[in-house]
Amino acid sequence: MSTDLSTLSLFRATPEQAIETRRRTLNEWGKGLTLEEHLDRDASQEDYDCSRDGRFSSWVLAPREDPQTLEFKCACETFKRTGLVVDPSKSKSAEVVTCYGVASVFTPAANRGKGFARHMMRLLHWVLADESLLPPSEFPTVWGAPPPKVDGTRNGRFSALWSDVGDFYGACGPVHPGEGWVIRGTATTIWDVDTSTVPAEARDWTWLDYAGCSKLWEEDAESMRSDMENSASPGLRFSYLPTHGVASYQPRRLEMYLQRLPTPPQTWGVTSSDHTTYATWAIDPRPPAPRTLVVTRLRANPQRFRELVGKILELARKYDVKRVEMWNLSTELDNIARTLNATTHMREEHLPAFKWYGKEPEVQISWFFNERFCWC
Ligand SMILES: CC(C)(COP(=O)(O)OP(=O)(O)OC[C@H]1O[C@@H](n2cnc3c(N)ncnc32)[C@H](O)[C@@H]1OP(=O)(O)O)[C@@H](O)C(=O)NCCC(=O)NCCS
């Protein structure tokens, strides 16, 4: 018998429910880890910079009459973040806004195919979106009362997720089915490290450790702001910022696997001495996929992109990395990449998808810096 979805609502997980969500996802997201290691890794995530001060939350879809049950239907996680919005019709200056990243959407096998994840994701907008943009009076009455308000939420200007289930989230609108998260920007540029040769002509480059990357991202955030304010692109623009532990989340999540390598990498970025060209990255050593260096954030003067690629390939070889991956290169950089033996394709997994909580339609909105650093 199908469940009446109006009897369910979205609740912030209790600590016990949060642990239960992690137990459930061992097979999907804890590959190569014991249950204890998987639980430890997820618990330590709560101490990451990007999670502190209430920025990380787990959510469960549970019966209204028993919100704390461990038999909840499905779950997901959110990270509150800082972003920038430029609305040229109002001002040239960027506005600093609250926004969200959504992760770990999961329904246990026994509960699948019953509409639970879709309903949870429709409700999620009602805990994330700025209340003035999505007022409670617009909540569909057929779903019962809106989810209870949680301190520090209902303030998001936009949210995004990275779909491994195609366009499923497009159907999860806050009111109407087709008005959910919109997929945008899946271009992926790949180098096969063993067959790529880029002459090592680079000089005046500095390798960066964690601290060096953090400093660079602070500077980077200012350059991103300036790029967005000075862009000729028409219409609204938004971006996540890499600061507050957002970009460092990537290598940190993989730390447990990296520590098992004979020589764990210590270098997470490289910059030209004038800081006009740089990249930061994470290294994913998990088999069976080829060991991959994913560039999280890239800024490149086209004249120096070739050198930058040379430096990345140099580091990749040092750590036995087989693949280098970059997301959504500009046309100019993509053309240079092709001359350096890279291929670009449209990815079919980790599809970036965003939901804009203003009244403007997503087609009029540009996602700036839609790169790996904001993935969660
Ligand atoms: C994806 C998932 C959350 C869906 O949960 P659910 O509660 O069964 O979802 P719903 O019942 O609301 O909707 C089911 C729909 O999900 C979609 N879906 C499920 N898995 C999918 C996949 N791998 N690719 C594309 N669509 C998929 C289908 O459209 C399905 O429709 P169907 O029932 O007609 O086949 C669940 O299958 C799951 O936890 N999978 C493993 C973890 C995962 O991949 N999470 C998503 C990470 S982005």
Side-chain angles (χ1 to χ4, degrees), residues 30 106 156 210 248-249 363:
F106 190 85
Y210 267 133
S248 63
Y249 172 82
V363 289

Side-chain angles (χ1 to χ4, degrees), residues 28-29 105-107 111-119 162-166 168-169:
E28 260 78 9
W29 296 314
V105 177
F106 190 85
T107 305
N111 290 345
R112 286 185 192 162
K114 297 176 181 166
F116 293 139
R118 181 171 296 126
H119 193 52
W162 285 261
S163 175
D164 285 332
V165 287
F168 170 68
Y169 300 102

Side-chain angles (χ1 to χ4, degrees), residues 22 37-49 51-52 252-253 255-256:
R22 295 164 187 165
E37 287 169 333
H38 174 64
L39 294 177
D40 278 357
R41 182 171 81 133
D42 275 0
S44 66
Q45 175 177 291
E46 296 195 25
D47 290 328
Y48 291 179
D49 288 346
S51 308
R52 293 213 191 105
R252 291 212 65 184
R253 275 292 283 174
E255 234 163 36
M256 196 172 259

Side-chain angles (χ1 to χ4, degrees), residues 12-211:
R12 190 177 230 164
T14 63
E16 294 75 20
Q17 286 174 321
I19 292 171
E20 176 59 19
T21 64
R22 295 164 187 165
R23 279 184 195 285
R24 292 178 179 187
T25 59
L26 173 68
N27 290 338
E28 260 78 9
W29 296 314
K31 284 201 180 74
L33 303 178
T34 63
L35 177 61
E36 201 180 15
E37 287 169 333
H38 174 64
L39 294 177
D40 278 357
R41 182 171 81 133
D42 275 0
S44 66
Q45 175 177 291
E46 296 195 25
D47 290 328
Y48 291 179
D49 288 346
C50 62
S51 308
R52 293 213 191 105
D53 307 320
R55 276 181 282 169
F56 171 76
S57 300
S58 296
W59 302 92
V60 295
L61 184 75
R64 290 178 191 272
E65 61 182 25
D66 190 9
Q68 302 199 349
T69 178
L70 293 183
E71 304 283 308
F72 54 86
K73 306 298 184 193
C74 55
C76 65
E77 298 173 343
T78 57
F79 293 87
K80 189 197 282 188
R81 292 176 166 175
T82 304
L84 296 177
V85 169
V86 176
D87 181 350
S89 72
K90 294 192 181 129
S91 165
K92 195 176 163 306
S93 303
E95 186 187 348
V96 177
V97 302
T98 297
C99 49
Y100 288 86
V102 183
S104 306
V105 177
F106 190 85
T107 305
N111 290 345
R112 286 185 192 162
K114 297 176 181 166
F116 293 139
R118 181 171 296 126
H119 193 52
M120 171 176 73
M121 298 309 281
R122 307 192 288 211
L123 295 181
L124 189 64
H125 302 294
W126 294 91
V127 302
L128 302 184
D130 187 309
E131 213 159 4
S132 66
L133 300 171
L134 197 59
S137 57
E138 288 177 20
F139 188 79
T141 48
V142 55
W143 299 342
K149 187 165 174 195
V150 171
D151 278 354
T153 62
R154 290 296 257 138
N155 48 9
R157 292 284 289 276
F158 58 89
S159 65
L161 50 78
W162 285 261
S163 175
D164 285 332
V165 287
D167 196 22
F168 170 68
Y169 300 102
C172 306
V175 177
H176 304 291
E179 295 178 354
W181 285 268
V182 173
I183 295 172
R184 178 73 61 80
T186 61
T188 312
T189 301
I190 304 278
W191 277 266
D192 175 82
V193 176
D194 289 341
T195 59
S196 298
T197 46
V198 179
E201 60 197 35
R203 281 192 315 263
D204 299 330
W205 290 79
T206 307
W207 297 112
L208 302 171
D209 58 10
Y210 267 133

